[in-house]
Amino acid sequence: MNLAAFDFDLPENLIALRPADPQDSARLLVVHGDGRLEDAVVRDLPRYLSAGDVLVFNDTRVLPAALKGIRPGRGETGTDVACDVNLVERIDSNTWRALARPGKRLKPGDTIRFADGFHALLTQRIDGGEIELSFSLSGAALEQALDAHGAMPLPPYIARRRPADARDRDTYQTSFAGEDAASVAAPTAGLHFTPRLLSELDAAGLRRETVRLHVGLGTFKPLEAAQLEANRLHAEWRRLTPETAGRLNAARAAGHRCVPVGTTAMRTLESCTTPAGTLVPATGPTDIFLKPGDAVRTTDALVTNFHLPASSLFMLVCALMGTDVMQAAYAHAIASDYRFYSYGDACLLLP
C-alpha cells in the first residue's frame, strides 16, 4: 500500500478552529459514486436520502480529558513542575493511560496534583511516550472531578492554535451523547446534527439508530508501517446491541440504506458484519482497518467530515468511494474553500 496515493496538500487556513454557527449550517459536499459533485449545506441532507433510510450515530460522550496539574518538587530543594496531561484510554475505574508534558521530568512514583483531593500517581511509563496514572478518585467521582477541572481534549491541529474554552464544552459534544463518558475525541460528523436538524430528518421519514465506539487519540496519530503490514489499527471499544443489529438488518432487507454518521459509526458497523453482509451484535474492542480493496458490506452511504492526508480515515472513505473519486472531491473542496477536520464542513458519500 503506497501512502503517497492518499496524500494531498491542505492550506492551513482551511483548518477550522471553530464550528459553523449554527452547527447545522456547515457546508456539505455531496459525492456520487460516478464522481459527480454537488455543493450543498448540512440541512439539505433530507433531499439526498429517502424515507426509511437509517442514520446510525455514535452516541459516545467526550470526557473533559485535558488536565493541568503540578508535580510537587522532589526533596527539600526540589521545584514544582507544571504538567499538561491528556487522558488517552481508560484501563479501569481509576486508572488511565495518558500523555503528559514535560514527560521527561516525570517518573514512576511521582504524584501529579490537579486540585484539592484530586491527584494521580504515575505508576509506570509505557512504550510510545505514554504513562499510566492511578487517580485518587474512581468511577463517578472521577468523572465529576474531570468535569470540574478538565477541559475538552481538542485535536492537536486545533490545540496548537488556541486553547480549549467554555464554548467547546457545547460545540465539541454531540447533542445526543449518552451517559457513559469515555471518549477522548468527539465523533465529529455528529456535531452537525442539532436538535432542529434531527427534527427535520424525523419529519422526512428518516430513521435513527445508535451504536457506541469510544474514540481514542489514535485517530489523530500518523499511520505507522507496522499498522500497514499488520492491517490493523489501534483498538477502540465498541458496541452494537442485538436490537439495533436486528432493526438495521430488517431495514436493509426492505431496500433501505444504512447511513453511518462518521467513520467511528462506520467502523463499528463494518466490524460487526459477516462476510454475507449481515450485522451481528458485538461488544468489545475492534482494530478494523478499512482501505481500498477491502469489502464494505453494510455501509450504503456515509456522512463524514474532511480528513487528514495520508490518514487511516481518508483511506476508509477511499475504500467506500474509490481513491480517484475522493482525491477529486478533496481537490474541489480545497479549491472551493471548504473547512476541514473536526470543526469543519461535511461530506455525504453516495457510492
Side-chain angles (χ1 to χ4, degrees):
M1 184 67 61
N2 182 8
L3 269 181
F6 306 97
D7 204 2
F8 54 86
D9 292 323
L10 181 72
E12 277 201 8
N13 65 295
L14 296 185
I15 299 174
L17 301 184
R18 297 281 185 187
D21 186 15
Q23 286 175 257
D24 60 12
S25 68
R27 298 172 71 187
L28 179 73
L29 178 60
V30 183
V31 185
H32 297 269
D34 61 5
R36 222 165 13 99
L37 304 174
E38 296 182 66
D39 297 304
V41 296
V42 169
R43 286 187 68 193
D44 291 328
L45 271 172
R47 289 173 40 201
Y48 295 97
L49 301 173
S50 303
D53 289 347
V54 188
L55 290 158
V56 183
F57 295 89
N58 180 4
D59 71 351
T60 190
R61 177 171 289 274
V62 183
L63 272 174
L67 294 163
K68 291 187 178 295
I70 297 291
R71 188 221 72 193
R74 302 188 187 105
E76 295 182 2
T77 60
T79 57
D80 293 351
V81 175
C83 302
D84 291 317
V85 173
N86 278 78
L87 304 185
V88 173
E89 181 183 358
R90 183 168 60 187
I91 297 172
D92 58 34
S93 63
N94 75 316
T95 309
W96 278 79
R97 292 172 65 148
L99 294 169
R101 295 192 309 269
K104 292 181 179 179
R105 301 192 66 180
L106 300 173
K107 64 181 183 180
D110 282 344
T111 294
I112 304 175
R113 302 190 182 281
F114 304 107
D116 288 344
F118 180 34
H119 58 271
L121 176 69
L122 197 165
T123 54
Q124 64 173 315
R125 304 189 70 87
I126 305 168
D127 290 344
E130 295 180 358
I131 59 174
E132 186 176 285
L133 293 175
S134 177
F135 283 92
S136 56
L137 304 171
S138 64
L142 176 56
E143 286 193 21
Q144 291 169 8
L146 290 171
D147 194 55
H149 303 290
M152 280 307 208
L154 294 179
Y157 43 76
I158 297 176
R160 284 193 295 265
R161 292 169 174 82
R162 69 165 181 85
D165 58 27
R167 290 168 60 188
D168 295 302
R169 289 286 183 125
D170 293 324
T171 59
Y172 199 64
Q173 191 81 268
T174 63
S175 63
F176 45 80
E179 294 302 315
D180 182 17
S183 281
V184 295
T188 54
L191 299 178
H192 302 291
F193 288 78
T194 61
R196 173 178 65 178
L197 176 57
L198 292 172
S199 294
E200 291 171 353
L201 294 167
D202 292 344
L206 294 160
R207 295 164 56 192
R208 286 189 263 153
E209 295 287 350
T210 58
V211 296
R212 186 166 295 178
L213 182 143
H214 292 323
V215 190
L217 284 184
T219 191
F220 302 113
K221 289 183 177 178
L223 278 172
E224 299 175 355
Q227 291 173 305
L228 291 173
E229 292 169 7
N231 194 30
R232 290 295 173 211
L233 292 180
H234 53 281
E236 293 170 311
W237 182 95
R238 56 73 167 102
R239 181 184 69 200
L240 172 66
T241 66
E243 296 78 11
T244 300
R247 289 191 294 267
L248 287 171
N249 285 329
R252 296 188 78 237
H256 301 299
R257 286 177 290 189
C258 174
V259 187
V261 175
T263 57
T264 59
M266 178 175 168
R267 288 181 67 229
T268 298
L269 294 176
E270 295 295 332
S271 73
C272 298
T273 304
T274 69
T278 301
L279 285 159
V280 293
T283 299
T286 179
D287 56 4
I288 187 171
F289 183 6
L290 290 169
K291 57 191 184 309
D294 294 337
V296 176
R297 295 187 170 92
T298 49
T299 299
D300 303 307
L302 175 67
V303 180
T304 186
N305 283 17
F306 291 94
H307 304 296
L308 280 75
S311 64
S312 64
L313 301 183
F314 185 62
M315 294 174 79
L316 177 148
V317 297
C318 292
L320 179 66
M321 300 297 292
T323 304
D324 291 344
V325 168
M326 290 312 303
Q327 283 284 19
Y330 272 47
H332 170 84
I334 291 168
S336 303
D337 291 332
Y338 276 75
R339 301 164 72 245
F340 273 62
Y341 303 161
S342 296
Y343 271 155
D345 296 317
C347 300
L348 172 61
L349 307 183
L350 299 171

